[in-house]
Amino acid sequence: MSTTLYLVRHGQTEENAANILQGHLPGHLNEEGREQAARLRDRLKDIQFDALYSSDLKRCRDTARILNGPHGLPPVFTPLLRERDWGPFTGMDILKARTLIDNRAETVDALFRRARTILEEIGSRHDGGQVLVVSHGLFCRVLQAACLGKTLREIPRMDNAEVRRVVLTLPLPLPAGTEETGATAN
């Protein structure tokens, strides 16, 4: 069997609007981000979800709480769904950081290992179900790539409060390979 995932990137944050590389910073939804999450909540309200998983970072927790209004699910907040740890580049202007990212940031291989761990957990616990997953732009792309056996570059960027439906089938396909990426999502 398989599990249907609805992967959601958190709503816009004050830091997104200021082009700040957030990584493991909490992030604060701005008014637009709260409105984006509310609009998405209304689009998803009639879907019967079996579970809700979310990054434990504030911007995702807040987005998940808004989306969960019609569902009332007990949320599972986990650091496995966090954005990439940018290390010393966290908090920098994205455009400046893009040219500096080096091996002090979490590697793309490490992101894929984290993604495989949480996908295997969700797939084994919710086989045949529909699961709402709230995470971050880059990490949602990694989750998609891991599900589909693709590279990160083959997965398009996600907008704030965008949802993508992906079918997770275990065992996961063999990795298509990973490659380094610049600071383009948070």
Side-chain angles (χ1 to χ4, degrees):
M1 291 193 72
S2 59
T3 305
T4 303
L5 303 178
Y6 287 78
L7 300 176
V8 174
R9 180 182 178 196
H10 60 79
Q12 185 183 74
T13 64
E14 294 169 9
E15 294 81 2
N16 289 139
N19 290 316
I20 300 298
L21 193 59
Q22 293 174 88
H24 286 193
L25 293 175
H28 303 87
L29 292 183
N30 60 19
E31 186 60 33
E32 175 64 20
R34 288 186 292 278
E35 290 173 9
Q36 290 170 335
R39 287 190 299 270
L40 183 57
R41 174 200 60 215
D42 294 344
R43 285 183 40 217
L44 300 176
K45 68 182 180 186
D46 295 327
I47 297 173
Q48 181 65 41
F49 293 111
D50 299 292
L52 167 59
Y53 284 75
S54 173
S55 162
D56 64 342
L57 296 175
K58 181 177 177 18
R59 59 195 184 269
C60 287
R61 291 175 72 102
D62 291 348
T63 300
R65 285 188 183 106
I66 293 168
L67 297 176
N68 197 24
H71 307 288
L73 295 165
V76 177
F77 297 111
T78 174
L80 289 172
L81 289 168
R82 283 184 177 189
E83 183 59 284
R84 183 180 191 180
D85 181 358
W86 295 105
F89 311 102
T90 301
M92 288 183 74
D93 179 277
I94 289 174
L95 296 176
K96 288 180 187 173
R98 188 175 291 185
T99 61
L100 302 173
I101 300 300
D102 62 24
N103 62 3
R104 294 175 289 170
E106 184 178 15
T107 67
V108 174
D109 285 338
L111 289 170
F112 271 83
R113 284 192 299 276
R114 237 184 334 121
R116 292 179 73 83
T117 298
I118 191 64
L119 289 169
E120 288 168 356
E121 178 181 325
I122 291 171
S124 63
R125 287 187 180 178
H126 305 286
D127 191 20
Q130 296 194 111
V131 179
L132 182 59
V133 177
V134 181
S135 189
H136 307 268
L138 179 60
F139 200 70
C140 279
R141 291 176 56 215
V142 172
L143 291 167
Q144 292 168 75
C147 280
L148 302 171
K150 294 187 173 197
T151 65
L152 186 53
R153 286 202 170 111
E154 293 176 280
I155 307 299
R157 290 191 63 199
M158 290 180 75
D159 292 328
N160 289 109
E162 180 179 341
V163 62
R164 292 190 184 158
R165 186 176 172 275
V166 178
V167 176
L168 165 63
T169 303
L170 295 180
L172 289 167
L174 293 175
T178 59
E179 70 284 330
E180 194 57 40
T181 181
T184 59
N186 57 359

